[in-house]
Amino acid sequence: METGIIGIRQFTILVTLFTVGSSILISPASLTAEAKQNGWIAAILVVCLGLLTVYLYHALVRQFPNQTLVEMCETIFGIWIGKIVSLLYFGYFFLLAALVLRNIGDFIATQVLLDTPLQFIIMIFLAVVIMANWLGLETIARAGEIFFPWVMIFFFAMVFFLLPQARLIQLKPYLGEGFMPIIRASLPFIGTPFMELIVLLMVIPFVNCAKEVNKAFLVGTAIAGLLLIIISLISILVLGAGMTSSQMYPSYNLAKMISIGRFLERLEVIMAGIWFITIFFKLTICFYASAHSFAQIMRMKETRPLLLPLGMILIVLSIVSYPNTSYFLNFVSKIWFLYAFTFGFIIPVCMIGAAVIRKRV
């Protein structure tokens, strides 16, 4: 079904953009809500755990090279049980795509285009995603190469402009309430985005150098993790833990505070530009994995006929998935981790265990 082949550098960029995704805008608030001024320590802890998760996925890929996640499931569990597990993964990918699409819709409707109906924002953004999937994985990867330098430039420019407003006093007291708040803060962050990296197992078979995939996976995750640590730290240094945790999009509001000689001010477009790019690639890859997994389950030879029907269903699902942002924050902090943990850790561990048993038998 997929004829495009991508390079190691392109895969590294896709991993980075996918991991940053929507987390760059919402992660500082979730981290500081529990860990307060130690949210940046929680971010470091979660990034380390995220790198260990990548090792888990590499162990699965190493046993079944050149196979997508759907093909792995059918190889390990057999045709029928494998298809059931694959359908569950399709549902996971599709729901993740719906939530990501709703995130971009909520952000634009509440921060940028206040009088624009949510449905139109979602449809316009999804149309570009469907077009990208229609053109194929190779086109998506090449677009990532074009946009990735701009993401890095925008990000570090914003951090540089905010440094004069940073105050180290905002980080004190260090570990004032011990490690338990840090651990509690880290759990939702593990689910989003690191347990979601299993989506990329639908992309790995199309990387042209299988021997370097693990290194590229680790490097991409590490780069994205570093960016998330920095944005969490700079949010606390400039806004403080209280203001960071009380806002829905603290890093976006952080960019509003940039002021250079009373000439360059309100440069929140920098953060908006970063987020539009990263969330576009995350949504595109999730939608790609959804269409590709469903096509493989149904033994279809082409994914393009699925793109429009799945896109129409995705619009409806993104609107009905949650009624408001308060519900979404509660869902992400209390429920999504368990859901993502099931698909991102428990099932992969079971697959590795079943594969080892099958080989010994």
Side-chain angles (χ1 to χ4, degrees), residues 49 90 325:
L49 295 175
F90 161 74
T325 54

Side-chain angles (χ1 to χ4, degrees), residues 219-239:
V219 170
T221 306
I223 294 173
L226 179 62
L227 297 182
L228 296 177
I229 292 171
I230 292 174
I231 195 63
S232 300
L233 180 59
I234 198 69
S235 296
I236 297 171
L237 286 172
V238 176
L239 296 176

Side-chain angles (χ1 to χ4, degrees), residues 158-194:
M158 186 191 72
V159 172
F160 177 77
F161 292 147
L162 286 169
L163 283 178
Q165 302 184 47
R167 293 174 293 169
L168 292 177
I169 192 66
Q170 302 278 24
L171 300 180
K172 295 180 180 181
Y174 303 110
L175 300 177
E177 299 180 9
F179 278 100
M180 287 307 299
I182 294 175
I183 295 174
R184 289 197 301 267
S186 64
L187 292 180
F189 199 25
I190 295 173
T192 303
F194 295 102

Side-chain angles (χ1 to χ4, degrees), residues 46 66 69 122 126 129 144 207 215 230 259 277 281 295 301 307 330 349-350 359:
V46 175
N66 302 320
L69 185 60
I122 288 175
L126 185 61
V129 172
V207 181
K215 181 180 178 182
I230 292 174
S259 179
I277 294 172
F281 282 97
K301 296 182 179 179
L307 298 181
N330 185 65
V349 168
C350 293
K359 286 185 178 181

